[in-house]
Amino acid sequence: MLEKLKEYSKYLLLFFLAVFIFSFITNYETTMQFCSNVFGFFSFMLTRFFIGFVLAYMLNFLSSWLEKKFKFKRWLSISVTYLLFFGVLAWMIVYILPLMYDSVEQIFKALPRYYDTTRNFVNRIFFSFSESDRQIINDYLSQAAQSILSALERYMDFSLVKSFVLSSTRILLNFFFGLMVSVYALIEKKSLLRVSKKLLYAFAKKERADAFVSFMSEANRIFSQFIVGKLLDSLVVGIISLILYAVFGLPLAAFFAVIAGVFNLIPYFGPWIGAAITLVVLVCFDPLYAVYALLITFAVQTLDSIYIVPKVLGGMVGISPLLTIIAITVGGDVAGFAGMFFGIPVLAAVKILIFDRVIKRRLKEREIEIK
């Protein structure tokens, strides 16, 4: 009976695939709406578990380190880990958020002066044109302003506010549910790994299971090295930036140091995106400050690439600059900031699976050596 079910299951899959293709061709919109609803439901249900397991994986680094370094028992290392985690969250709420608020407030206070300077500059350019050209520019700007106001009136309604509140509430609920999942995942870490191995070796050939376990071990090493190293590297960059900003007397030094540290998490592009934000804001205060910030960014990034990264990250994940850029851009398109950050270790793990294992093994089987 079981053998017959296995045999018929192949045709059943083909049948469902044929039905889907037929409905997709004949009724595209309804089919896509159905798929969106189904995947949206599963995405909503799985998001909180995904958050929990990702959080547990991130906190596992500290928990494991406490167990090895100080010989803590697991319950004690997990307790200390979450105390530190909540301590960092509390510090961000008590210190970082007010700092951000004060910084934004100062920026808005500086805007009128920046606006007057910009207006005088634009007026000088505007009145250098002929009267007919000025009329054309006026008409164009009036139409653009009207379009912007119409768009704001269309989107800034109660439904938008309601959607924002509901989305924020859902995010908070997912986070707290994920937090509970992460606690139990850390507590039962060894049990979960043992069950996973049993399932793997029960349904896969031993050679394939051994290869998969070896690959996951290597992928875990890459993720661990990258995440811990990159966080430490960004912390060092933020501290150095804070010191230099304070030495040069830049306003909002702590605010810009936080930006430098956070955007440094994104390799290659991140530091310069953060620098661009800093320059735009500092121009509102004094263009000379923007020049200082640009010089500081060059100095810090040079020090980071020459000394800090080799010391902290070593060889990091072993992928070329071209693959790194591809990982950042594709990861950013798929998952935003998190995709830019995790894209590199994910691509490095894929490279190990496809190139270092599959391709090298196939070349060895064919006795082909490429130098």
Side-chain angles (χ1 to χ4, degrees), residues 20-62:
F20 175 78
I21 293 172
F22 177 77
S23 62
F24 182 82
I25 295 172
T26 58
N27 202 342
Y28 170 78
E29 291 185 1
T30 306
T31 305
M32 291 306 295
Q33 184 63 42
F34 172 77
C35 292
S36 176
N37 292 336
V38 170
F39 287 115
F41 172 77
F42 282 108
S43 174
F44 173 74
M45 294 298 295
L46 295 176
T47 295
R48 53 193 63 182
F49 291 99
F50 177 76
I51 291 172
F53 284 113
V54 169
L55 186 59
Y57 182 78
M58 299 286 286
L59 295 178
N60 180 58
F61 300 140
L62 179 58

Side-chain angles (χ1 to χ4, degrees), residues 360-369:
K360 284 187 177 180
R361 187 181 71 246
R362 293 294 298 272
L363 290 174
K364 187 176 180 180
E365 290 173 354
R366 298 183 178 189
E367 297 182 352
I368 298 173
E369 184 178 354

Side-chain angles (χ1 to χ4, degrees), residues 22-257:
F22 177 77
S23 62
F24 182 82
I25 295 172
T26 58
N27 202 342
Y28 170 78
E29 291 185 1
T30 306
T31 305
M32 291 306 295
Q33 184 63 42
F34 172 77
C35 292
S36 176
N37 292 336
V38 170
F39 287 115
F41 172 77
F42 282 108
S43 174
F44 173 74
M45 294 298 295
L46 295 176
T47 295
R48 53 193 63 182
F49 291 99
F50 177 76
I51 291 172
F53 284 113
V54 169
L55 186 59
Y57 182 78
M58 299 286 286
L59 295 178
N60 180 58
F61 300 140
L62 179 58
S63 177
S64 299
W65 181 77
L66 290 172
E67 284 186 42
K68 293 176 182 177
K69 184 72 175 178
F70 300 102
K71 308 298 181 184
F72 284 175
K73 292 185 177 180
R74 188 180 304 168
W75 68 268
L76 182 58
S77 68
I78 293 173
S79 301
V80 173
T81 297
Y82 278 94
L83 282 174
L84 291 172
F85 175 71
F86 284 116
V88 171
L89 282 182
W91 175 75
M92 290 176 67
I93 294 170
V94 172
Y95 178 74
I96 296 294
L97 289 183
L99 172 66
M100 297 295 181
Y101 177 81
D102 293 339
S103 301
V104 171
E105 190 177 33
Q106 290 188 46
I107 292 169
F108 276 106
K109 286 180 180 178
L111 282 177
R113 186 175 70 249
Y114 181 67
Y115 170 76
D116 291 337
T117 305
T118 305
R119 186 183 62 179
N120 293 333
F121 175 73
V122 171
N123 283 339
R124 285 199 301 269
I125 296 175
F126 181 72
F127 285 105
S128 65
F129 292 106
S130 65
E131 186 174 349
S132 60
D133 291 337
R134 290 202 300 269
Q135 185 61 43
I136 294 172
I137 294 171
N138 270 329
D139 293 340
Y140 176 78
L141 291 176
S142 298
Q143 291 175 5
Q146 188 62 41
S147 300
I148 293 171
L149 289 174
S150 299
L152 289 174
E153 288 175 2
R154 188 165 58 251
Y155 290 108
M156 293 301 291
D157 55 8
F158 177 74
S159 61
L160 183 65
V161 176
K162 182 180 177 181
S163 176
F164 174 76
V165 172
L166 289 175
S167 298
S168 301
T169 305
R170 182 178 295 180
I171 290 170
L172 286 174
L173 288 174
N174 282 341
F175 174 75
F176 285 114
F177 189 90
L179 192 63
M180 289 189 291
V181 171
S182 71
V183 174
Y184 288 104
L186 277 181
I187 292 172
E188 300 181 18
K189 177 181 68 175
K190 291 186 177 179
S191 175
L192 289 171
L193 289 173
R194 186 166 58 251
V195 170
S196 300
K197 278 191 174 181
K198 285 182 178 179
L199 289 172
L200 177 65
Y201 280 93
F203 292 99
K205 293 181 179 179
K206 186 177 183 305
E207 296 78 10
R208 293 185 178 232
D210 288 338
F212 182 77
V213 169
S214 175
F215 165 71
M216 291 303 295
S217 176
E218 184 68 14
N220 179 61
R221 183 194 67 78
I222 291 172
F223 270 82
S224 303
Q225 182 182 3
F226 179 80
I227 292 171
V228 175
K230 199 61 186 172
L231 289 174
L232 183 59
D233 171 50
S234 296
L235 178 63
V236 173
V237 167
I239 292 172
I240 295 174
S241 299
L242 175 61
I243 294 170
L244 292 176
Y245 289 153
V247 168
F248 279 83
L250 269 60
L252 312 176
F255 174 72
F256 294 130

Side-chain angles (χ1 to χ4, degrees), residues 285-297:
F285 292 90
D286 190 334
L288 186 60
Y289 288 150
V291 175
Y292 290 156
L294 184 61
L295 293 175
I296 290 170
T297 302

